[in-house]
Amino acid sequence: MNILVLNSGSSSLKYQLFDMNTEQVMASGYIEKIGIPGSTITHKRPGIDKIFLEQDIADHGVAIETMVAALTSPEHGVIQSMKEIDAVGHRVVHGGTAFIKACLIDEQAINTLESLTEMAPLHNPAAVKGMRACQEKIPGVPMTVVVDTAFHQTMPRSSYMYGLPYEYYEKYQIRRYGCHGTSHRFVAQRCAELLGRQDCKIITCHLGNGSSLAAIKNGEVQDTSMGFTPLAGVVMGTRTGDFDPSLVPYIMEKENLTPAQMSDLINKKSGLLGLSGVGSDLRDVVEAAKNGNDRAKMALEVFVTTVVRFIGAYAAELNGVDAIVFTAGIGENSVPMRRAICQHLSYLGADFDEEANECAGEEKEISKPGSKTKIYIIPTNEELLIARDTKELVESLKK
Ligand code: ADP
């Protein structure tokens, strides 16, 4: 069975085609600057060098056509026609409370996603564009939606309710939803396999440009650090993470900012970028800190402290922890950040292994043998999980 996984952004489209008999990627690609001058497509297939083309891509419909042409091209394609694709799985960021697992895309699902645009203004309309383009360009291929917020829907209300007047929950569905759910689910499932049991307490740390943690008990999320939007939680590349909400009106008044400007400030100009003044990419901040930049050093200290704080909070909420997992760009690759975080975990019975930690991008235990609480690096693979969900759903429909 061949499953195509799509991740549509407002001006981009990422695709991966999986052979689900082997779970290997047959081909993948990235289309950028859709509807913007200078559109490009980067297409990869095992055994050939990356292909990079510049061509005008006016909208998501043309992007899907371009992807189809790349996948079926006699020189660098991997299939002869789209008939060889059994289903398409779409990644969607926000599903509100409507999506608790993968589901088939029909008009009702698309309408529901559109109705959630206010909660994910950049992501959901783009995903819908990708779905509409597929309906038009590759009709007849079943499509599923796998939503990033879905995995967090098991949270108890004690975790997802804010201390705001209840009427806002009723009127505007204001509550914690969380993000990166597909990634947390992927690494938590793998961690349970490594532990050899499902009844376990895991804290998953997805640390990337956007970062979030999740507290997971017996495969179900109990709490997660992102909130109504991805702004909440730990300090991120350009997002503040949690801070005193009174500062919103305070800064707006002092600086004479509109709500849109304030939103821009806390989403795009804060975090590692705002603190360090160096940049949002952790590697640049680490480099600057090494060269003696004290603000860069401070930004890293704040990042580490916010992660450590959430791990502590979640260990308490779970009333113990069996394993802590690091994933995503920073979690998988940054030796110094993992070291700095793990130096605060001995009280949990986690015996950190400095030497094992000297690695990047591979699945590995980085606690010492016999450590009561295990620490793992588990590379995330959201696309594979979307492909697995899609396969399962399509197969169940055939029965
Ligand atoms: P997102 O998907 O949220 O854009 P990623 O998961 O790709 O982000 O993570 C990006 C972050 O990971 C950046 O801050 C980057 O500096 C960091 N990162 C990526 N590779 C490495 C590496 N080899 N060493 C240290 N940090 C890395």
Side-chain angles (χ1 to χ4, degrees), residues 228-279:
F228 182 68
T229 72
L231 182 68
V234 300
V235 155
M236 305 177 218
T238 60
R239 298 187 191 118
T240 54
D242 291 348
F243 68 106
D244 184 343
S246 314
L247 287 169
V248 171
Y250 186 82
I251 296 174
M252 283 175 78
E253 247 172 61
K254 291 270 180 209
E255 296 277 316
N256 202 14
L257 300 182
T258 63
Q261 286 168 327
M262 188 63 201
S263 172
D264 204 53
L265 177 82
I266 54 186
N267 277 289
K268 298 187 183 152
K269 296 180 182 158
S270 301
L272 292 179
L273 171 68
L275 280 166
S276 71
V278 171

Side-chain angles (χ1 to χ4, degrees), residues 208-210 280-283 328-330 333-334:
N209 196 21
S280 62
D281 193 296
L282 182 94
R283 283 165 292 196
I330 297 172
N333 298 300
S334 179

Side-chain angles (χ1 to χ4, degrees), residues 78-353:
V78 285
I79 49 172
Q80 291 189 341
S81 95
M82 293 307 271
K83 290 204 179 96
E84 292 171 49
I85 288 176
D86 296 278
V88 179
H90 290 262
R91 179 188 176 199
V92 169
V93 167
H94 214 308
T97 51
F99 296 88
I100 50 168
K101 56 182 182 123
C103 72
L104 218 56
I105 294 177
D106 52 16
E107 275 311 301
Q108 196 192 342
I110 293 186
N111 291 340
T112 309
L113 290 170
E114 273 177 330
S115 72
L116 295 166
T117 291
E118 249 183 53
M119 293 181 183
L122 290 179
H123 295 108
N124 278 23
V128 169
K129 274 189 199 164
M131 290 168 198
R132 293 266 184 235
C134 285
Q135 282 177 327
E136 195 192 323
K137 306 292 175 188
I138 43 174
V141 181
M143 294 198 293
T144 65
V145 53
V146 179
V147 174
D148 255 4
T149 49
F151 185 48
H152 300 305
Q153 281 295 306
T154 51
M155 261 187 293
R157 63 184 181 185
S158 53
S159 298
Y160 71 68
M161 287 303 289
Y162 293 126
L164 285 165
Y166 187 72
E167 66 199 78
Y168 296 111
Y169 170 65
E170 291 184 305
K171 269 208 276 195
Y172 309 118
Q173 293 79 53
I174 289 175
R175 48 159 283 177
R176 182 187 306 284
Y177 290 100
C179 259
H180 298 136
T182 314
S183 174
H184 287 291
R185 181 159 58 105
F186 183 87
V187 298
Q189 279 177 0
R190 181 65 192 138
C191 180
E193 276 172 28
L194 292 171
L195 292 172
R197 58 197 168 93
Q198 296 302 316
D199 59 333
C200 49
K201 297 170 181 175
I202 304 172
I203 298 174
T204 47
C205 310
H206 177 112
L207 308 179
N209 196 21
S211 297
S212 66
L213 282 82
I216 300 165
K217 187 176 169 191
N218 304 340
E220 294 193 341
V221 173
Q222 303 300 309
D223 206 347
T224 191
S225 60
M226 282 180 169
F228 182 68
T229 72
L231 182 68
V234 300
V235 155
M236 305 177 218
T238 60
R239 298 187 191 118
T240 54
D242 291 348
F243 68 106
D244 184 343
S246 314
L247 287 169
V248 171
Y250 186 82
I251 296 174
M252 283 175 78
E253 247 172 61
K254 291 270 180 209
E255 296 277 316
N256 202 14
L257 300 182
T258 63
Q261 286 168 327
M262 188 63 201
S263 172
D264 204 53
L265 177 82
I266 54 186
N267 277 289
K268 298 187 183 152
K269 296 180 182 158
S270 301
L272 292 179
L273 171 68
L275 280 166
S276 71
V278 171
S280 62
D281 193 296
L282 182 94
R283 283 165 292 196
D284 299 336
V285 185
V286 169
E287 200 49 39
K290 263 192 211 154
N291 294 330
N293 182 324
D294 193 51
R295 266 179 64 186
K297 201 164 162 270
M298 171 187 66
L300 298 175
E301 287 162 5
V302 175
F303 173 72
V304 168
T305 298
T306 57
V307 174
V308 167
R309 186 182 292 152
F310 271 98
I311 293 176
Y314 289 169
E317 273 187 66
L318 292 171
N319 195 10
V321 54
D322 297 303
I324 295 162
V325 179
F326 288 97
T327 195
I330 297 172
E332 290 168 29
N333 298 300
S334 179
V335 174
M337 287 304 101
R338 282 194 309 256
R339 187 193 303 122
I341 295 164
C342 291
Q343 276 163 357
H344 294 267
L345 303 181
S346 54
Y347 74 102
L348 292 172
D351 197 359
F352 175 59
D353 188 335

